[in-house]
């Protein structure tokens, strides 16, 4: 009996010590992104940027003397899948912070989970404006909002493209509808008439019915809120239809993936984005250089978003001096991060500001900066 008791005691001690020992080996940060589905191009690019940030930080000594480990889950941009991913990362993998979950609807579903477990969460992508209006204490956003992009660039677009009438097309989710509503509201206030609003589902491949309506509406310009895969198909069919209307929009339009998939049909498109590889400045030039060396293509919006989000979280952990959730949260509130695209800070609500946003036009398959503006404190 005594041997058995000592054996049980030893097993219990080792069982309790093993997780703690493992926790001391690395600092785990959870990443929820769409790795499959119609926005997988963008989710995988975000992960590439996140991995690059961690690799560079680990090569420089890590955080608090430890290596940082990314634990990545596929949320598929679906609320239920993303919630399941968050539960796994928090309960099973014991991550100290979360980043994700790309689509605003998926992020909105994960936010209460992070709040329940009192775990810091940062989205580098989700742009629905009201996400930071929910009064949550552990949520932060380093992404632009639809409202911010519209306020910054609607007047420039209206004047530059000489818009009198505009048609609006968006993916049928929180982000697509939010972008359409914000831009249509601000452009209408400038005297630009709305002649059409249409939405399509993720993964759509046939836009001909929608484009028939668009051609009949005869707008001066068409605003599109779409990501890489959906957007490239839409734009190619738009050009096949022979429609000459000027195109502008939001999403992944300035990325290498989008331009590569869309080909010559991307020529002349305008896009309002928080990042483009052609942005001036030494920090961005350096980022483009080492991102291109790692992935054999220039970074775009989502590569930069993943890179920035992980750097912001890692810097916060370093400032906190430990991996306690409240300490990391408080350190995130004191963020002053020098990024390839400006300086990131957070409001008391967790809303990011200070970074630059740009209006670009695709010329010879390169995003050329037309206008650039720092984001003001909301």
């Amino acid at each position: 009996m005594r041997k058995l008791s000592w054996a049980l005691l030893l097993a219990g001690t080792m069982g309790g010590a093993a997780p703690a020992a493992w926790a001391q080996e690395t600092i785990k940060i959870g990443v929820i992104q769409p790795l499959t589905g119609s926005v997988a191009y963008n989710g995988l690019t975000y992960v590439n940027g996140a991995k690059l940030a961690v690799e560079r930080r680990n090569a420089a000594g890590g955080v608090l003397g430890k290596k940082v480990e990314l634990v990545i889950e596929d949320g598929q941009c679906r609320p239920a899948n993303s919630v399941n991913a968050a539960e796994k990362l928090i309960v099973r993998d014991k991550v100290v912070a979360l980043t994700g979950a790309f689509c605003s609807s998926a992020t909105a579903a994960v936010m209460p989970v992070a709040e329940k477990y009192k775990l810091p969460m940062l989205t580098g992508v989700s742009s629905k404006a009201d996400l930071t209006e929910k009064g949550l204490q552990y949520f932060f956003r380093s992404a632009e909002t639809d409202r911010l992009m519209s306020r910054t660039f609607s007047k420039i677009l209206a004047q530059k493209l000489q818009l009198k009438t505009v048609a609006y097309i968006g993916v049928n989710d929180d982000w697509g509808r939010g972008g359409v509503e914000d831009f249509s509201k601000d452009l209408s206030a400038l005297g630009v008439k709305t002649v059409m609003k249409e939405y399509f589902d993720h993964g759509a491949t046939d836009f001909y019915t929608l484009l028939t309506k668009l051609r009949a509406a005869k707008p001066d310009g068409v605003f599109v809120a779409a990501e890489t895969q959906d957007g490239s198909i839409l734009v190619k069919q738009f050009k096949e239809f022979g429609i000459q209307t000027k195109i502008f929009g939001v999403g992944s339009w300035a990325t290498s993936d989008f331009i590569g998939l869309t080909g010559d049909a991307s020529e002349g498109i305008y896009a309002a984005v928080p990042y483009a590889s052609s942005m001036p400045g030494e920090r961005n030039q350096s980022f483009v250089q080492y991102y291109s060396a790692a992935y054999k293509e220039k970074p775009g919006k989502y590569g930069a978003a993943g890179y920035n989000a992980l750097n912001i979280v890692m810097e916060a952990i370093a400032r906190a001096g430990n991996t306690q959730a409240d300490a990391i949260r408080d350190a995130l509130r004191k963020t002053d991060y020098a990024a390839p695209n400006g300086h990131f800070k957070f409001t008391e609500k967790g809303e990011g500001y200070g970074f630059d946003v740009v209006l670009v036009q695709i010329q010879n398959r390169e995003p050329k900066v037309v206008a650039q503006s720092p984001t003001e404190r909301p």
Side-chain angles (χ1 to χ4, degrees), residues 136-148:
L136 301 184
Q137 296 301 303
Y138 291 85
F139 179 71
F140 297 81
R141 178 193 0 232
S142 58
E144 80 290 357
T145 65
D146 308 316
R147 188 181 299 156
L148 181 151

Side-chain angles (χ1 to χ4, degrees), residues 28-217:
K28 294 183 180 181
I29 299 174
V31 176
I32 305 171
Q33 289 293 310
L35 308 181
T36 56
S38 65
V39 289
Y41 274 106
N42 310 126
L44 290 166
T45 303
Y46 177 101
V47 169
N48 283 344
K51 286 180 176 178
L52 184 63
V54 170
E55 287 169 7
R56 290 177 62 81
R57 185 82 189 205
N58 283 341
V63 177
L64 306 180
K66 302 171 187 175
K67 296 291 187 184
V68 175
E69 177 185 356
L70 288 185
V71 188
I72 303 165
E73 289 284 337
D74 182 7
Q76 298 181 337
C77 256
R78 296 177 179 175
N81 297 65
S82 298
V83 166
N84 289 339
E87 291 278 356
K88 287 181 185 177
L89 290 167
I90 296 169
V91 177
R92 180 194 65 189
D93 298 306
K94 310 297 183 186
V95 299
V96 303
L98 283 176
T99 72
F102 200 92
C103 292
S104 292
S105 55
T107 296
V110 173
M111 288 163 60
V113 179
E115 198 76 5
K116 178 180 74 172
Y117 287 103
K118 300 187 185 309
L119 196 79
M121 175 182 176
L122 170 67
T123 180
V125 175
S126 302
S127 58
K128 192 168 186 287
D130 68 357
L131 292 179
T132 49
E133 300 298 324
K134 299 180 184 297
L136 301 184
Q137 296 301 303
Y138 291 85
F139 179 71
F140 297 81
R141 178 193 0 232
S142 58
E144 80 290 357
T145 65
D146 308 316
R147 188 181 299 156
L148 181 151
M149 299 303 276
S150 177
R151 281 202 308 258
T152 304
F153 293 122
S154 286
K155 187 174 182 180
I156 295 170
L157 283 162
Q159 293 175 344
K160 189 167 188 66
L161 304 186
Q162 298 181 325
L163 301 175
K164 301 296 181 185
T165 59
V166 169
Y168 297 87
I169 300 171
V171 64
N172 191 18
D173 65 10
D174 287 349
W175 171 72
R177 288 186 172 276
V180 166
E181 292 308 312
D182 283 323
F183 271 86
S184 62
K185 179 181 177 181
D186 288 339
L187 284 168
S188 293
L190 294 168
V192 180
K193 183 180 178 181
T194 298
V195 295
M196 186 183 96
K197 284 184 183 179
E198 291 285 336
Y199 297 94
F200 62 89
D201 292 329
H202 279 289
T205 58
D206 184 347
F207 293 94
Y208 291 110
T209 300
L210 186 155
L211 291 172
T212 299
K213 293 180 183 178
L214 176 64
R215 184 159 59 186

Side-chain angles (χ1 to χ4, degrees), residues 5-17:
S5 298
W6 277 109
L8 288 171
L9 179 60
L10 182 60
T13 303
M14 290 182 69

Side-chain angles (χ1 to χ4, degrees), residues 192-267:
V192 180
K193 183 180 178 181
T194 298
V195 295
M196 186 183 96
K197 284 184 183 179
E198 291 285 336
Y199 297 94
F200 62 89
D201 292 329
H202 279 289
T205 58
D206 184 347
F207 293 94
Y208 291 110
T209 300
L210 186 155
L211 291 172
T212 299
K213 293 180 183 178
L214 176 64
R215 184 159 59 186
K218 297 180 180 179
D220 296 324
V222 55
F223 168 89
V224 180
E227 296 297 2
T228 300
Q229 188 170 324
D230 298 334
S232 65
I233 295 170
L234 171 60
V235 171
K236 284 193 289 187
Q237 292 181 7
F238 180 98
K239 293 296 177 76
E240 288 169 8
F241 239 57
I243 301 173
Q244 300 299 314
T245 304
K246 299 163 186 171
I247 307 176
F248 61 97
V250 292
S252 54
W253 297 52
T255 65
S256 298
D257 282 339
F258 176 83
I259 295 170
L261 286 171
T262 312
D264 292 339
S266 65
E267 187 70 14

